[in-house]
Amino acid sequence: MGKRNNRGGKKSFGKRGASNWVEVAKENEKWESYYKTQGLINDDEWDSFKSYCQKQLPLTFRITGSRSHQNEIKQMFKEKHVPILSNVDEKSLNITTEELASLEPPKPMKWYPNELAWQLNIPKGVMKKNEAFQKTQRFLVVETEVGNISRQEAVSMIPPLLLDVQPHHYVLDMCAAPGSKTAQLVEKLHENCEDSIPTGFVVANDSDYRRSHMLVHQVKRLNSPNFVVINHDGQMLPKFRLQPDGPYVKFDRILCDVPCTGDATMRKNINVWRDWTIGNALGLHTLQLNILTRGIQYLKPGGRLVYSTCSLNPVENEAVITAALKKFEGKIRLVNVSNELPGLVRRDGVSSWKVLNKKGEELANVEELEKKQAENPVDNKVPTTVFPPSAAEAEDLHLEYAVRVYPHLQNTGGFFIAVLEKVVDEPEAKPVDTKKRTIEEAADSTTTTTEAVAEEEPNKKQKVQEEEVKVTPVPTMSEKQQKHRLPRDANEEPFIFIPESNPILKKCWSFYSVSDDFPKHSCLVRNATGEPIRSIYFVAPVIKQILTVNESRLKFIHSGIKLFVSQKSTRSTEALWRLQSESLVVLKPFLGNARMIELKELEVLKSLLMETFPSMTAMKELSQSFYDQMSQVDEEGCCFLNVLRPDGEDIFLPVWKGKTNINLMLNKHDTFELLYRIFGIETDKNTTYKQDASGHNSRIVVGKSEESKESEPQADAAKEPETKEAESKEPESSNNEA
């Protein structure tokens, strides 16, 4: 969603007094009067519009991953869960007949491609509490944990789709947290690159330090080496280069989902009803315009920028777009997207609206505003850029090309989206000699390596070399909180690249037979020594350029996927570094066959999922072919299991070969998901791994008694690896090293 500007208050459905609970009323006379005055909703629709604003949102999700994988998850949901959710009664749900009448069968969103986004018109409370929906609830939880499903509000999915991201695009998300739309952008970047690394990248920025780490948690599960998170005020986002003396980077696609009042989120945010005032939007308008202005400066000619908010207020929407179109005088234009996303019920942007001061008094024009400001500056603190265009200007601006989505049109939240295209670029200044940078440019850069991160002062004027349009930065809440930022920790360790000839890396390349076509020069560590200690990470070559050329300009929060992790072992072996499952998708096309095992018997996979460290002897009884292939692998260590399924949806997994036993290297979430998707074995929220004597997380043994569990042979902790589950205990927010 557009970023709601939090101004205090708790996310609750009421206030708890000394002796009772008082629910916040879903009414606000000022809100209702304001929007009726604006005339955005026809009179005959108002009651329906308001009624939907007062209802809870339906549950919505989208299916992620590669195309073949998406189809498998979609078919599983349609075949196993849609029938259950389509045949319920009031008795099984313990709800009234009237409540049951409001429940509809799950349906794919008409406007989202390939039936990959679904809407369940069942409130979250009903879904979680009723036994009839427990299997579906569990399905959603498990698939979300492994990244196959993203629980996201429907209208939040629209802006990334309208950006039309391709694998070669340079993409910028200016106000990225909490990250659901950023995840969509990363997914689109990789959509047609299952066997290759995209040449493009996604830079995700957020001004709030803590929220930027929330963003990492949201997108990290996608395991993309073409993704980087930075922490800057979007109004003053520093420009950067890919080469030390090269031109500044311009972007093919920019998402500008700005901070807003969030007054279209009242279906899920009860505080909007209580806290809404006219002044909220007036206070954010300049900030929104400044961020949009910065984004336009970063856009390539022919590039596309999407501006969006989760507000319905023209002051935050059409007024901002109008001001930007006037400021850039024909260098940008609104794009007509009426033929894109067919099936999306929408309304056109508006070309006229009323401007009210904080007291609710209408202001006809700038002259009247200035007069009232002289009389009462407090109540008339209104930016001059909020006024609508004249009739003649409106004809040229085409504000009707913007998209308005209202809650009652298709049972969603509200949203505003405008798609802009750059027609003509600003004159490009000569590249600055990096050895002779001006004092002003130096002030625009910050350090993220071994020195403390420099703070951006709220009103500091920064000089950017080729900037044609100046903005006056508006202090944001996150900037005011900068004095109380978290201390530097491992999450902010430097990104230090190691040569491909590093002795440890050379052993890994040889051990796993990695092709020279793989960009081996893009491996790095996150520690001050610059040497591989615990983890080795990988980034796409273009991300390496960003990290190395701009380390003094950008405040980097996160980038890279884990490639190799040091293996604790007392045994003398070359396999002291195991390959991480999160990097398998990237590395698979470049791996040799020496440690590759093909598996056709699904019963072997089932056994590996349900038990940890089964003996080689036990595996021989299940499959002679699998046993022979494992025996032919020369050394102990990580191998790769290519599971050939009858339906053609093969699975590629890491497996550890020990001296006498083997172990599938998956965490519990991946294990539970595969048990259900491949074998139909269900788990519940109380299902956990049992612990063996060595302290390793063992797999759940479904259907066995406690006695049989205790009698199983145990693995030698000194000779076997930790599973990936142990790694998941590291901080979710960053690929850091201890």
Side-chain angles (χ1 to χ4, degrees):
M1 300 295 291
K3 280 67 183 174
R4 185 174 63 86
N5 189 52
N6 294 295
R7 295 183 177 274
K10 297 180 179 179
K11 291 183 178 179
S12 63
F13 287 91
K15 297 180 178 179
R16 186 178 298 278
S19 59
N20 61 351
W21 175 268
V22 179
E23 185 174 342
V24 173
K26 295 180 180 180
E27 295 283 352
N28 188 308
E29 292 183 5
K30 293 180 180 178
W31 168 82
E32 187 162 350
S33 174
Y34 180 84
Y35 277 106
K36 282 185 174 180
T37 299
Q38 294 295 349
L40 301 173
I41 309 296
N42 295 332
D43 291 342
D44 59 349
E45 293 181 87
W46 179 264
D47 290 342
S48 176
F49 164 72
K50 182 180 177 181
S51 173
Y52 270 91
C53 288
Q54 294 170 322
K55 296 177 181 178
Q56 289 188 43
L57 278 170
L59 189 155
T60 53
F61 67 88
R62 58 185 181 82
I63 301 169
T64 68
S66 64
R67 289 183 178 179
S68 59
H69 191 72
Q70 288 173 341
N71 289 331
E72 183 179 5
I73 301 298
K74 178 178 68 177
Q75 287 304 120
M76 182 165 59
F77 178 71
K78 291 174 71 172
E79 294 172 6
K80 294 186 177 182
H81 297 278
V82 170
I84 296 175
L85 300 173
S86 302
N87 297 283
V88 295
D89 53 53
E90 61 268 32
K91 185 176 180 180
S92 64
L93 295 180
N94 192 28
I95 60 177
T96 66
T97 304
E98 294 177 330
E99 290 174 320
L100 179 66
S102 66
L103 304 183
E104 300 175 14
K107 58 184 179 183
M109 297 178 200
K110 296 179 180 179
W111 48 269
Y112 200 100
N114 305 319
E115 293 189 339
L116 293 176
W118 287 74
Q119 180 167 311
L120 284 63
N121 293 323
I122 303 170
K124 292 181 181 179
V126 175
M127 174 68 75
K128 290 182 178 181
K129 294 178 182 179
N130 286 275
E131 187 175 349
F133 297 139
Q134 288 305 299
K135 289 186 177 181
T136 300
Q137 173 68 13
R138 178 62 179 169
F139 165 79
L140 294 175
V141 168
V142 171
E143 297 297 340
T144 299
E145 289 281 3
V146 300
N148 290 338
I149 279 177
S150 179
R151 304 275 284 272
Q152 185 176 351
E153 189 175 340
V155 288
S156 175
M157 305 176 192
I158 300 172
L161 290 177
L162 290 176
L163 270 179
D164 187 29
V165 172
Q166 303 296 324
H168 63 279
H169 281 159
Y170 292 1
V171 185
L172 171 64
D173 190 348
M174 297 191 70
C175 309
S180 57
K181 286 186 280 295
T182 313
Q184 273 185 274
L185 300 177
V186 174
E187 290 164 23
K188 292 295 289 184
L189 189 77
H190 288 270
E191 188 172 69
N192 298 312
C193 294
E194 292 186 31
D195 295 322
S196 61
I197 300 172
T199 55
F201 59 85
V202 175
V203 173
N205 175 70
D206 202 86
S207 64
D208 188 288
Y209 180 76
R210 290 172 175 81
R211 283 169 60 87
S212 65
H213 283 281
M214 293 169 53
L215 163 67
V216 172
H217 175 68
Q218 177 84 333
V219 184
K220 185 180 176 183
R221 62 184 180 178
L222 299 176
N223 301 326
S224 171
N226 297 66
F227 171 66
V228 62
V229 178
I230 60 177
N231 172 216
H232 289 275
D233 179 357
Q235 302 172 96
M236 303 181 293
L237 193 61
K239 295 193 175 185
F240 58 91
R241 302 182 175 91
L242 296 182
Q243 300 294 337
D245 297 316
Y248 289 114
V249 171
K250 292 293 182 78
F251 291 86
D252 302 280
R253 298 290 186 265
I254 295 178
L255 178 59
C256 194
D257 188 52
V258 297
C260 67
T261 60
D263 69 5
T265 67
M266 51 181 50
R267 296 188 67 176
K268 66 177 183 180
N269 178 22
I270 195 68
N271 290 339
V272 173
W273 290 103
R274 185 187 63 200
D275 299 335
W276 189 94
T277 67
I278 294 174
N280 291 345
L282 295 172
L284 285 172
H285 171 88
T286 303
L287 170 67
Q288 294 161 341
L289 178 56
N290 284 351
I291 295 174
L292 175 57
T293 296
R294 197 61 159 168
I296 293 170
Q297 292 168 349
Y298 272 42
L299 194 62
K300 284 182 182 177
R304 178 174 281 202
L305 180 150
V306 168
Y307 174 90
S308 61
T309 75
C310 50
S311 169
L312 301 180
N313 198 329
V315 168
E316 302 180 73
N317 299 322
E318 285 90 351
V320 176
I321 298 299
T322 298
L325 289 170
K326 289 181 178 180
K327 180 176 287 190
F328 285 88
E329 299 180 311
K331 293 178 180 177
I332 58 171
R333 68 179 183 89
L334 271 172
V335 180
N336 185 353
V337 293
S338 59
N339 292 326
E340 299 185 34
L341 305 185
L344 177 66
V345 185
R346 66 194 92 183
R347 297 289 164 80
D348 293 342
V350 296
S351 298
S352 64
W353 55 89
K354 298 183 185 300
V355 176
L356 309 181
N357 65 11
K358 294 181 180 180
K359 294 177 67 176
E361 299 169 339
E362 185 174 347
L363 302 170
N365 48 45
V366 175
E367 290 72 25
E368 184 176 356
L369 168 62
E370 292 174 345
K371 180 180 178 181
K372 286 185 174 290
Q373 282 179 335
E375 299 171 355
N376 184 352
V378 176
D379 292 332
N380 292 282
K381 192 175 181 180
V382 178
T384 57
T385 49
V386 302
F387 289 91
S390 66
E393 290 174 328
E395 189 172 342
D396 293 332
L397 296 179
H398 292 294
L399 292 174
E400 70 274 10
Y401 290 169
V403 176
R404 284 181 160 268
V405 179
Y406 297 123
H408 66 295
L409 298 180
Q410 55 223 318
N411 192 15
T412 64
F415 224 78
F416 174 86
I417 310 105
V419 181
L420 295 165
E421 182 182 71
K422 179 170 278 190
V423 181
V424 181
D425 203 4
E426 302 91 355
E428 184 71 28
K430 293 181 180 179
V432 177
D433 186 339
T434 55
K435 296 180 180 180
K436 298 180 180 180
R437 294 194 306 166
T438 64
I439 296 175
E440 292 89 346
E441 188 188 11
D444 188 36
S445 64
T446 52
T447 301
T448 59
T449 52
T450 58
E451 297 180 3
V453 176
E455 300 300 326
E456 294 179 356
E457 297 174 6
N459 294 307
K460 178 174 61 178
K461 294 182 179 179
Q462 299 186 356
K463 178 179 179 181
V464 179
Q465 288 302 117
E466 71 272 39
E467 182 178 337
E468 292 291 318
V469 182
K470 301 294 182 180
V471 298
T472 301
V474 176
T476 62
M477 289 188 67
S478 60
E479 288 181 293
K480 294 176 182 177
Q481 296 166 351
Q482 292 295 315
K483 294 180 181 179
H484 306 288
R485 278 185 53 163
L486 295 174
R488 287 180 56 82
D489 57 17
N491 292 336
E492 293 184 10
E493 289 290 351
F495 296 80
I496 300 180
F497 287 86
I498 51 179
E500 57 185 282
S501 59
N502 178 280
I504 291 177
L505 271 181
K506 287 184 68 175
K507 289 182 179 180
C508 291
W509 304 139
S510 175
F511 187 80
Y512 295 111
S513 303
V514 179
S515 165
D516 288 337
D517 293 333
F518 183 74
K520 299 176 181 179
H521 57 84
S522 290
C523 295
L524 61 95
V525 294
R526 298 292 312 272
N527 62 66
T529 70
E531 293 293 330
I533 297 175
R534 181 181 175 189
S535 301
I536 298 174
Y537 302 90
F538 171 76
V539 295
V542 69
I543 296 294
K544 178 183 178 181
Q545 290 178 275
I546 294 174
L547 292 171
T548 54
V549 176
N550 303 280
E551 62 178 354
S552 63
R553 286 185 68 83
L554 298 176
K555 291 185 284 186
F556 294 112
I557 297 296
H558 164 85
S559 190
I561 57 174
K562 278 186 180 178
L563 189 63
F564 303 115
V565 173
S566 176
Q567 172 58 44
K568 297 177 182 178
S569 176
T570 58
R571 185 174 299 144
S572 176
T573 175
E574 296 293 325
L576 292 178
W577 289 80
R578 67 183 187 276
L579 195 148
Q580 285 297 97
S581 60
E582 66 189 70
S583 63
L584 280 187
V585 174
V586 173
L587 202 58
K588 180 183 176 182
F590 305 96
L591 292 173
N593 295 321
R595 307 190 67 80
M596 200 81 67
I597 293 96
E598 288 192 350
L599 177 64
K600 296 181 180 179
E601 300 90 341
L602 291 184
E603 282 301 310
V604 175
L605 175 62
K606 182 178 178 180
S607 177
L608 291 172
L609 287 168
M610 294 176 67
E611 297 185 53
T612 193
F613 303 119
S615 68
M616 290 288 289
T617 303
M619 290 295 100
K620 184 177 182 179
E621 295 176 0
L622 286 175
S623 171
Q624 182 69 44
S625 172
F626 177 72
Y627 174 81
D628 290 342
Q629 289 184 75
M630 290 296 298
S631 299
Q632 290 171 8
V633 175
D634 290 338
E635 297 183 66
E636 301 169 39
C638 186
C639 302
F640 310 105
L641 197 62
N642 193 20
V643 183
L644 307 178
R645 297 170 61 191
D647 58 8
E649 302 297 335
D650 299 343
I651 305 174
F652 197 66
L653 302 170
V655 62
W656 184 269
K657 177 189 176 181
K659 185 176 182 180
T660 60
N661 49 32
I662 60 177
N663 180 43
L664 196 61
M665 299 171 65
L666 294 178
N667 62 31
K668 66 178 181 181
H669 303 302
D670 290 319
T671 300
F672 295 163
E673 195 274 336
L674 286 174
L675 280 172
Y676 179 71
R677 176 156 57 93
I678 309 301
F679 303 103
I681 297 175
E682 297 179 353
T683 59
D684 58 39
K685 63 183 180 181
N686 296 317
T687 304
T688 59
Y689 278 11
K690 70 182 184 65
Q691 296 288 318
D692 62 24
S694 68
H696 287 92
N697 287 306
S698 300
R699 314 225 178 272
I700 179 174
V701 185
V702 179
K704 289 190 177 183
S705 66
E706 291 298 321
E707 290 78 7
S708 64
K709 291 180 185 179
E710 293 174 358
S711 63
E712 292 172 2
Q714 307 300 333
D716 184 347
K719 299 180 180 181
E720 298 295 343
E722 301 172 5
T723 63
K724 192 185 172 198
E725 169 64 16
E727 292 182 70
S728 69
K729 296 176 183 177
E730 293 184 9
E732 295 278 3
S733 58
S734 178
N735 277 340
N736 63 302
E737 291 195 15

